[in-house]
Amino acid sequence: MSFASPLFLWAFTLLIPLITVYFLKVKPRKHQTTALFLWQSIYDKKHNESLFNRLRDLISLLLMLLLVSLLVLAMAKPQYVTQKDKDLLILIDNSASMQTSESRESRLQEAKDQANKIVQALGAGKRAAIATVADDVKFKTFMSSNQRLLGRALDKIQPTELPFDRNALKNLFLKGTKAENVRVILISDGVGPGSLLTSKESQQPIEFLKVGKKSKNVGFISCDLQIKKMNADQMSFYFQLANASDKPVNTEIYLYHLDQEDQQNLQSINPITDLDDIKNIPTNPYKVISVTISPGINDSAIYDVPQMIPGKWMALLNYDDAMILDNTVYMTIKKPNPVSIGILAKERYFFEHSVQAFSQSSGLINLTPLQQDNITQATPEITVCQTVEDFQSLTASLPKSQKNKAIIFNPSADSSFFQGDNTELETGSYVIKAIQKDDPALRFYDVTTIPFYGAKKIQPTQSTQVIAETDNGIGLIWRMTDGNKDCLIVNMDPGQSNFYFSPYFPVMIYRMALTLSGDEGINVASYHTNSIYNSPNTKEKINLTPPTNTQISTTNKTIATSSPLTQTGFYTLNKPNSQQFIGCSLLNANETLVNPNDIKSTIKPIKKGHSISHWLIIAALLIAAIESLLYHRRKVG
Amino acid sequence: MNLQPLFWLIIPLITILGLRYSLVNRPKGLKIASFALRAAGIALLALTLCRPFINSDSDNIHAVFLLDVSESVDLNAAKDSLTQIESAIDSLNMGDSYNLFLAGRELKQVNDPTQARDILKQWQEGLADSELRSATPIDELLLTARLAFKADKARRIILYSDGVTTGSNTAETIKTLARENIDVRFEKLTPLKKPELSVISLTPSTHTAYAGQIVRLTVKLATNTHSSPAEIKILHRGVVIANRNVTATIGELNQFHFDVPMTQPGSSTWAVNITAADDHFTINNQARCTINVKGKPRLLILHQKSRQIRDFARALRKQEFQVELRGKYGLEGSLQELLSFDAIIIADVPASDLTITQMNMLKSYVSDFGGGLLMTGSENSFGLGGYYKTPVEEVLPLISRFEKEKEKPSMAMVLVIDKSGSMNGLPIQLAKQAAKAAIELMSPQDQAAVVAFDSRARIICEMTSASDPDTINSNIDTLAAGGGTFVMPGMETAYEMLQQTTAKVRHIIILSDGHSQPADHESMASNMSDSGITVSTVAMGSGADQSLLSRIAEIGKGRYYQTNDPSNVPQIFTRETMQASKSAIKEDLFSPLIIANHPMLSTYTDDDLPFALGYVITKAKPTAQVLMALETGDPLLATCRFGLGTGLAYSSDLTDKWGGEWLAWDQCGKFWAQVLRNIARKVNADGVYVQTQIDNQNWLMDIKRTNPSGAPVNSITWNATLTDQDNNTHPITIQQSGLGLYKATIPLEKVEFASLSLHDEDYNKTAVLHYNRPYPAEYNLSTQPDPAIASLKGCKPNQVTQKPQMVKIYKPFASPMIITAILLFISGILLRRI
């Protein structure tokens, strides 16, 4: 036992005036009486109580001495000091699953209550710090022994919509800090940290205090919305659900298309605490899908959406459960940016016609007008060159560092790229072989049936990839990748025998253009919280406004080439002349499955409740009251 | 205030009852006054329980000084900063406090600048602390420093650094600290003023190329001098493919292009190396990149006398294979290099010439990356080569263990094992394991004994029938290390034991790791040899008496092995056992029979196939499919799936020794090309598009899986494995995230370089990705400070305490209230008594 504030023991000197007061002789009050018989009764009474009367002052004094001593001790803050008493770092998990509500209060509130109990029992002179942990550790207050301050820090903790990131705990401490003097207590529902708490991965031993009970929850764990590949007028809606309870759940998914007004109304509801609040914001669901959600992670499902409507979409899982956050997903879909194609050709009409044929139907390519005498006026992504000379003039006009993608027809031995003679192969005298059968440039048409009119007996002078050739080994389609150049070379003259008019000609140009453009980009309909949105152009800075556009501060917008997404809803990507929207949803199986089975509290015994001083004051308070009552009943004093 | 304890105010109310029914005969005024004082005291105590406090502001500050001491900082500049820190500490007011940390890879707390100065002095004098100085993840360091702060003081971090961070989230971290009201200041330290030239990046124009294609490699250099001449070398598998003398200039782009042909299909790792006359750090003079090159199937053939298998290699080359012949040490290198081959043939290499790591690498190559592995027969293959119970044997369809035929001579073998003190630990454990493995390989009519020796011999296991392996094994378990080294007594004991047996083959294996006491070992070996006893010796480690042991083996007509790796001992023992029994090989004219209908053998019939002139006796695993057998019934060609790849075993050989007839066969090349194409690694990543990014030590992967028409492919069963630089494999979980979209997060802590195999089990597509960790930015002296750090305000010593953000503090007010209560109580008593 020791005292945190031993200086207050000087207050024991207050006992001196107390004792001094008791030395004062109490003068009895004079009463005049004529009734002698009364004297007998007074005498008898005084005789019977004489011993007690003599001690009355002493008992009162002793009680008051005890009272004052207790109060002085309370001020000196007595404490049991053990070596285990270290400073505390209390980490409160405020990840998404802590929003799970059981009966009246959320898991986060329960965690805060538990933390408060620990803070209240904080030994005098011992310190604690409060921090939250979800995607990383954020301090709410630093080391302090002031319980008031710590309590206020706990009150300020708000839930986040982020999944728990194990790395946040892994990187909590580095060697060399004073961490060894700190007891780290994580108060969490165990969703996320998982095995990290029981393994030795963490550099710092973390004691775990589990909160939360088994809850019913279902939610989305992945979703997607994409234009159908074979029918650009339709979409596919993909989703995967999870169920944290032991029983299957039958419910339905409402799929909404949101207009601007809907989104503004959605923004006004923050946080969403009731599904009904948002269910009625969009007028009618575009589609309703009945689902049965089995316990655990369910198989994914895909539904057709008969109309492709670009913009914002929301899916809502209509089930009132413990966590609402994962019952909605926010998705965006846009028409793909077409690949711009320029034509360098004398007979440009036919080439342009080919491009236009597909630009109207697929929307994946479009024509960029290119002037023969001013090539640099526009910079299409891909240039179709009728001859190698056209390509060479293009190369000469572009800066060396610029990417140069082209489809080149009519290669000839006169150019530096090829050697051999310009003798044309006789059509029908050879068999065409596809060397790279799976090459995307050969999709949707049978290259072996294409008449390569005007193909010449030439070979490339530099290494190329042969995609198709004749049975005699003469290349018909090559891909040449060299530095910034990336070209598909077609050994034919499409002008011969009017191959322009063949239905395969536009297909060929279309496929080759898409192959060169690398149409493999990944479009995400809905990002998950804690993911990073990267600018498609690494040099372009992003100006991103979060879904809850209520804060007016500089941190409201992120200006960088990448930005973390932390809230569910629609982020607004602000561009100089336009806006683009980015859907963001929780989409985390761990957070949706809110009942981790195998995690148990590992916290070592810790003091909770009130300090010794608190109880000493209560004891003094009671003694003061009792002494007063006894005094007025003439038992003491 | 916490108002919950206010219910204690009920107590003064109760005491009012005492006053109401008071028997005290005192003047009313005094009585009430006395009671009022008591009640007020009690009420004050009740209020005290609510933890009252007084709000006030504090301008006290806690300063945390972080002094960057990483390699990129000039230590003299760091010392100068300590003077500034000293002044700053002196300027702190009463009530202020500080911590001082040396910041490198982690924070090192020091008590004061004097201690810090001593440490820096020691470093300058050569005391190495390269681990601490090898990185400065400023973001992590700033976050860690938070623990030093106290709630009742303003918080300020003063970072003395060159601003070069090896972390990636500095901007976010500074925002976080600002939210936590921590004022971060930055004082720029002079970077190390040494001439420095470093490679910034090596970028190929494409990560997927075709054999023969020219790929442009772009090398970016950075320098901190006005003119830095250097030689750039582009290396492929350690060979300089291109080099050029260049001059790098400070502030310029310093970008140099090299057009290099992709000659070899497979994963092709390219490296750049620069040499410059004036260059401080060499760690940053290199960079690597990996290009997947498509082309002809590529084969690696390992044969300890590679010349013998040239004919076979030539036949395969005619069949459009790229073949590389290597000797017994040809497996040196990483898995990344191995992945440039589509199949590997181990033709004649004993297991003892491969390390366990290499064998594990081969296993991973087959199981995780879908490679093909063929072992052909020879005196150094299967059990004869010591492959019994090795990772390579796990891959193969034929196993070494065989039931020896009855007519074969019985064998008695004595294992003479050095148990001297130097064998303690892993060597003696491996020796025991080796002895047990050797016993396991013996047939029931064989006999074995184990003799251990230090300065004298001790019989661990008497001559016991190999049909009772349990007894022998339990005796072997009693073997413990200790004592000196004297081979002679061990040899004598073994000699005596073997003389008493009637076995046809009598063999001794001696294992030693030290120098023996002098004795006439040679005569003893000679006596043994004269008695028909053969002696093989194993010298383990560089401390072994290699000349003595090799002489004993030579005189004893056995074989001599030298290994520095104790883990090779089990392979040597099993190999010795198999070779000593002379029973695993059959040499004669054997005609092969096709016994399974398999695409590998389509179009061939028994009549087409030439004779084999010899083979190694093996037995097929239950999971293996025997494709060809010999008329003796022994398997000749067998295959099995192992993980993603295929194991193939051919028990005869493909050299002139046993395969002369095969090599003379005009269909030889075509036949084996058909077989090998079947087992070759099929890297078909069409339709698998992977987008990766590195974030906070994680390799984030978005995978798009489409069919030939571009439509998404869903519900794929992925099998993904990451193999790191130590050939440790880690299974990777891949989750579907959308239509044809999948994602994975791969932790990269402690990973220097790694290969990832992404296998679509449903459509048999495989994509292989590689990660090469760049050298830390610490060693790049021309790196500019992180913009987020550079934009921080500065802090001169006298500014440390300037304008700190006022901190609200809550001063407890309980004690004055308690003292007041006591005084009220005393006053109350006084009024009772006057």
Side-chain angles (χ1 to χ4, degrees), chain B residues 462-772:
Chain B
E462 290 283 3
M463 193 61 81
T464 312
S465 167
S467 61
D468 185 12
D470 293 343
T471 308
I472 304 175
N473 287 345
S474 58
N475 285 330
I476 289 171
D477 283 332
T478 63
L479 192 58
T485 307
F486 191 22
V487 181
M488 193 61 177
M491 287 177 78
E492 283 171 352
T493 312
Y495 182 47
E496 285 164 18
M497 288 171 120
L498 284 175
Q499 275 189 321
Q500 289 164 16
T501 66
T502 55
K504 293 277 191 290
V505 176
R506 292 178 291 173
H507 188 60
I508 295 174
I509 305 175
I510 301 171
L511 169 79
S512 175
D513 74 336
H515 273 266
S516 173
Q517 293 174 27
D520 192 2
H521 295 95
E522 287 83 353
S523 301
M524 174 53 79
S526 177
N527 290 344
M528 288 173 169
S529 176
D530 293 345
S531 314
I533 298 169
T534 51
V535 190
S536 288
T537 54
V538 183
M540 192 166 76
S542 53
D545 192 344
Q546 297 180 16
S547 62
L548 172 69
L549 292 170
S550 67
R551 276 202 307 283
I552 294 174
E554 192 185 335
I555 299 166
K557 293 181 181 160
R559 287 154 296 273
Y560 164 70
Y561 302 89
Q562 201 279 321
T563 179
N564 287 326
D565 183 359
S567 62
N568 274 340
V569 172
Q571 281 86 59
I572 294 173
F573 268 44
T574 54
R575 184 181 171 200
E576 255 308 297
T577 313
M578 297 288 284
Q579 296 217 337
S581 68
K582 294 185 188 301
S583 57
I585 287 173
K586 274 192 176 179
E587 289 186 332
D588 205 340
L589 214 59
F590 301 100
S591 74
L593 303 165
I594 294 175
I595 59 169
N597 182 15
H598 194 278
M600 266 189 212
L601 307 177
S602 69
T603 74
Y604 292 96
T605 61
D606 295 347
D607 299 337
D608 298 332
L609 303 175
F611 290 108
L613 304 177
Y615 67 97
V616 181
I617 303 170
T618 53
K619 196 169 91 171
K621 282 183 188 171
T623 52
Q625 187 180 11
V626 179
L627 306 178
M628 283 161 55
L630 294 155
E631 52 203 304
T632 54
D634 289 320
L636 178 65
L637 182 71
T639 183
C640 68
R641 293 289 302 171
F642 187 76
L644 299 183
T646 312
L648 186 71
Y650 179 65
S651 59
S652 184
D653 86 343
L654 293 162
T655 68
D656 279 336
K657 190 178 179 193
W658 295 337
E661 295 283 324
W662 277 81
L663 292 172
W665 182 36
D666 59 349
Q667 297 284 306
C668 176
K670 203 175 160 199
F671 175 87
W672 283 105
Q674 186 170 312
V675 170
L676 290 169
R677 273 185 213 282
N678 230 291
I679 67 160
R681 195 156 66 97
K682 289 158 194 72
V683 180
N684 177 3
D686 292 329
V688 183
Y689 172 74
V690 187
Q691 215 172 49
T692 62
Q693 62 171 319
I694 306 287
D695 173 53
N696 196 18
Q697 293 281 310
N698 284 322
W699 198 9
L700 306 179
M701 209 156 279
D702 286 305
I703 304 158
K704 185 177 175 184
R705 182 71 186 85
T706 51
N707 65 14
S709 59
V713 184
N714 299 301
S715 308
I716 293 284
T717 313
W718 291 98
N719 184 345
T721 312
L722 183 84
T723 307
D724 64 18
Q725 66 278 1
D726 301 322
N727 293 315
N728 297 321
T729 54
H730 311 272
I732 303 297
T733 308
I734 294 181
Q735 289 175 331
Q736 184 159 9
S737 58
L739 285 156
L741 303 179
Y742 303 82
K743 63 179 179 183
T745 302
I746 302 168
L748 287 175
E749 263 179 88
K750 296 176 186 168
V751 174
E752 287 304 316
F753 55 90
S755 301
L756 175 74
S757 152
L758 277 176
H759 180 68
D760 166 358
E761 291 188 341
D762 298 339
Y763 296 91
N764 199 22
K765 303 266 181 190
T766 307
V768 176
L769 288 96
H770 302 278
Y771 168 77
N772 296 301

Side-chain angles (χ1 to χ4, degrees), chain A residues 501-515:
Chain A
F501 298 118
S502 163
Y504 291 118
F505 183 64
V507 179
M508 214 169 164
I509 291 193
Y510 167 72
R511 277 315 309 168
M512 288 183 172
L514 287 188
T515 305

Side-chain angles (χ1 to χ4, degrees), chain B residues 295-312:
Chain B
K296 293 177 184 174
R298 198 156 168 248
L299 278 179
L300 171 65
I301 304 180
L302 299 172
H303 195 292
Q304 57 180 352
K305 291 171 186 162
S306 52
R307 190 172 290 180
Q308 292 181 1
I309 202 155
R310 273 185 186 173
D311 290 342
F312 178 65

Side-chain angles (χ1 to χ4, degrees), chain A residues 8 14 18 21-22 24-26 29 31 57 60 64 67-68 71 75 120 127 137-139 141-144 146-149 152 167 170 173-178 222-224 226 229 236 238 300 302 436 438 443-444 463 465 481 483 520-523 528 532 534 614 617-618 621-622 624-625 627-629 631-634, chain B residues 1-2 8 11 15 18-19 21-26 35 38 42 45-46 48-51 53 106-107 109 141 144 146-147 149-151 155 179-180 182 205 210 212-214 216 686 689 691 693 695 698 702 704 708-711 714-715 736-739 741 743 749 810 815 818-819 822-823 825-826 829-830 832-834:
Chain A
F8 280 104
L14 288 170
L18 178 68
V21 169
Y22 274 90
L24 294 175
K25 184 108 178 132
V26 181
R29 235 177 133 185
H31 289 277
D57 275 355
S60 173
M64 291 312 288
L67 182 153
V68 173
L71 290 176
M75 285 193 292
Q120 292 303 326
R127 304 181 309 165
V137 174
K138 292 188 175 76
F139 275 77
T141 180
F142 294 91
M143 283 299 171
S144 172
N146 189 317
Q147 287 144 323
R148 172 72 45 227
L149 181 77
R152 290 203 156 196
N167 286 323
K170 270 188 179 177
F173 298 108
L174 295 175
K175 277 191 292 179
T177 61
K178 279 187 164 180
S222 63
C223 69
D224 197 8
Q226 276 187 26
K229 214 62 187 177
S236 299
Y238 162 96
S300 55
I302 300 167
Q436 305 289 339
D438 293 334
R443 274 182 207 158
F444 302 141
S463 276
Q465 170 202 348
T481 315
E520 295 281 20
I522 293 178
N523 290 318
H528 59 87
I532 294 167
N534 287 307
H614 185 89
I617 293 170
I618 289 173
L621 185 146
L622 290 172
E627 199 273 346
S628 176
L629 286 173
Y631 170 73
H632 286 288
R633 297 308 296 169
R634 302 281 294 145
Chain B
M1 270 207 318
N2 178 10
W8 290 107
I11 298 292
T15 54
L19 179 68
Y21 299 104
S22 178
L23 300 177
V24 173
N25 185 15
R26 296 277 294 159
F35 173 78
R38 174 61 59 99
I42 294 173
L45 290 184
T48 305
L49 292 173
C50 301
R51 299 179 186 276
F53 60 89
E106 59 199 36
L107 291 182
Q109 188 168 16
L141 298 172
T144 307
R146 293 183 294 179
L147 265 187
F149 286 117
K150 294 156 190 168
R155 300 171 277 277
R179 277 195 293 268
E180 292 172 358
I182 299 174
S205 56
Y210 288 83
Q213 186 179 332
I214 307 275
R216 172 160 291 182
D686 292 329
Y689 172 74
Q691 215 172 49
Q693 62 171 319
D695 173 53
N698 284 322
D702 286 305
K704 185 177 175 184
S709 59
N714 299 301
S715 308
Q736 184 159 9
S737 58
L739 285 156
L741 303 179
K743 63 179 179 183
E749 263 179 88
Y810 304 94
S815 299
I818 292 174
I819 288 175
I822 293 173
L823 293 175
F825 290 147
I826 293 172
I829 300 283
L830 185 68
R832 284 184 195 171
R833 305 187 75 83
I834 55 175

Side-chain angles (χ1 to χ4, degrees), chain B residues 235-534:
Chain B
L235 297 99
H236 179 48
R237 294 183 49 209
V239 178
V240 178
I241 304 295
N243 65 328
R244 195 188 307 163
N245 288 317
V246 298
T247 303
T249 312
I250 188 167
E252 296 290 321
L253 194 56
N254 295 317
Q255 189 167 283
F256 305 97
H257 301 297
F258 292 82
D259 291 336
V260 289
M262 297 295 113
T263 51
Q264 293 174 340
S267 296
S268 174
T269 301
W270 292 78
V272 61
N273 204 324
I274 54 167
T275 44
D278 289 327
D279 191 15
H280 184 67
F281 294 122
T282 51
I283 189 171
N284 57 14
N285 287 5
Q286 47 212 347
R288 303 203 300 175
C289 67
T290 306
I291 303 168
N292 288 318
V293 183
K294 299 179 181 177
K296 293 177 184 174
R298 198 156 168 248
L299 278 179
L300 171 65
I301 304 180
L302 299 172
H303 195 292
Q304 57 180 352
K305 291 171 186 162
S306 52
R307 190 172 290 180
Q308 292 181 1
I309 202 155
R310 273 185 186 173
D311 290 342
F312 178 65
R314 202 171 295 131
L316 287 177
R317 283 192 187 110
K318 280 186 189 164
Q319 299 297 322
E320 297 285 299
F321 272 87
Q322 273 209 356
V323 183
E324 190 162 325
L325 282 180
R326 291 191 195 170
K328 59 184 178 181
Y329 299 121
L331 266 190
E332 296 293 329
S334 64
L335 180 67
Q336 279 195 12
E337 194 196 314
L338 215 58
L339 287 175
S340 66
F341 297 99
D342 298 301
I344 295 169
I345 301 175
I346 301 178
D348 187 359
V349 175
S352 49
D353 284 335
L354 301 177
T355 62
I356 286 292
T357 313
Q358 285 172 331
M359 284 199 258
N360 277 323
M361 196 162 77
L362 279 171
K363 183 178 157 188
S364 170
Y365 167 77
V366 177
S367 67
D368 302 325
F369 291 87
L373 180 71
L374 165 64
M375 180 174 278
T376 64
S378 74
E379 288 183 351
N380 291 307
S381 303
F382 304 108
L384 280 174
Y387 286 97
Y388 181 60
K389 281 195 170 177
T390 60
V392 169
E393 198 195 53
E394 284 179 50
V395 176
L396 297 174
L398 300 180
I399 53 171
S400 318
R401 191 165 182 173
F402 60 97
E403 296 302 325
K404 208 169 65 166
E405 293 167 36
K406 282 181 182 167
E407 65 269 22
K408 290 289 171 193
S410 59
M411 178 173 73
M413 184 167 75
V414 183
L415 304 174
V416 181
I417 296 170
D418 185 349
K419 65 176 275 290
S420 59
S422 57
M423 289 285 287
N424 201 11
L426 183 66
I428 197 77
Q429 294 304 327
L430 285 165
K432 284 195 225 177
Q433 187 192 326
K436 286 180 188 173
I439 304 300
E440 231 175 291
L441 279 173
M442 297 172 78
S443 60
Q445 65 266 39
D446 293 341
Q447 290 174 294
V450 182
V451 175
F453 66 87
D454 42 36
S455 50
R456 59 192 179 83
R458 192 164 79 85
I459 297 171
I460 298 294
C461 177
E462 290 283 3
M463 193 61 81
T464 312
S465 167
S467 61
D468 185 12
D470 293 343
T471 308
I472 304 175
N473 287 345
S474 58
N475 285 330
I476 289 171
D477 283 332
T478 63
L479 192 58
T485 307
F486 191 22
V487 181
M488 193 61 177
M491 287 177 78
E492 283 171 352
T493 312
Y495 182 47
E496 285 164 18
M497 288 171 120
L498 284 175
Q499 275 189 321
Q500 289 164 16
T501 66
T502 55
K504 293 277 191 290
V505 176
R506 292 178 291 173
H507 188 60
I508 295 174
I509 305 175
I510 301 171
L511 169 79
S512 175
D513 74 336
H515 273 266
S516 173
Q517 293 174 27
D520 192 2
H521 295 95
E522 287 83 353
S523 301
M524 174 53 79
S526 177
N527 290 344
M528 288 173 169
S529 176
D530 293 345
S531 314
I533 298 169
T534 51

Side-chain angles (χ1 to χ4, degrees), chain A residues 86-235:
Chain A
K86 296 177 176 177
D87 287 343
L88 300 177
L89 172 57
I90 302 172
L91 297 171
I92 310 271
D93 176 1
N94 65 344
S95 64
S97 65
M98 293 293 282
Q99 292 191 26
T100 306
S101 291
E102 281 128 6
S103 57
R104 285 183 186 174
E105 62 176 23
S106 69
R107 290 179 177 180
L108 182 63
Q109 189 54 49
E110 192 187 341
K112 284 157 74 170
D113 292 345
Q114 288 289 344
N116 215 10
K117 284 181 187 167
I118 296 171
V119 165
Q120 292 303 326
L122 203 62
K126 290 295 156 199
R127 304 181 309 165
I130 308 282
T132 58
V133 57
D135 59 328
D136 63 2
V137 174
K138 292 188 175 76
F139 275 77
K140 292 294 164 189
T141 180
F142 294 91
M143 283 299 171
S144 172
S145 54
N146 189 317
Q147 287 144 323
R148 172 72 45 227
L149 181 77
L150 296 167
R152 290 203 156 196
L154 283 170
D155 291 342
K156 283 181 191 165
I157 293 174
Q158 294 294 321
T160 66
E161 297 180 345
L162 297 162
F164 193 98
D165 185 352
R166 288 161 55 101
N167 286 323
L169 287 184
K170 270 188 179 177
N171 299 328
L172 185 56
F173 298 108
L174 295 175
K175 277 191 292 179
T177 61
K178 279 187 164 180
E180 65 269 19
N181 297 326
V182 179
R183 244 179 108 174
V184 185
I185 296 167
L186 170 68
I187 308 179
S188 162
D189 57 359
V191 174
S195 58
L196 183 69
L197 299 166
T198 47
S199 72
K200 291 180 180 172
E201 278 181 76
S202 167
Q203 289 186 12
Q204 179 81 5
I206 295 173
E207 296 175 40
F208 172 54
L209 176 58
K210 188 171 186 230
V211 292
K213 300 182 194 98
K214 202 165 185 183
S215 300
K216 277 200 296 185
N217 187 51
V218 292
F220 288 96
I221 59 170
S222 63
C223 69
D224 197 8
L225 201 59
Q226 276 187 26
I227 300 171
K228 286 182 88 170
K229 214 62 187 177
M230 305 309 289
N231 187 349
D233 294 333
Q234 295 186 356
M235 301 189 297

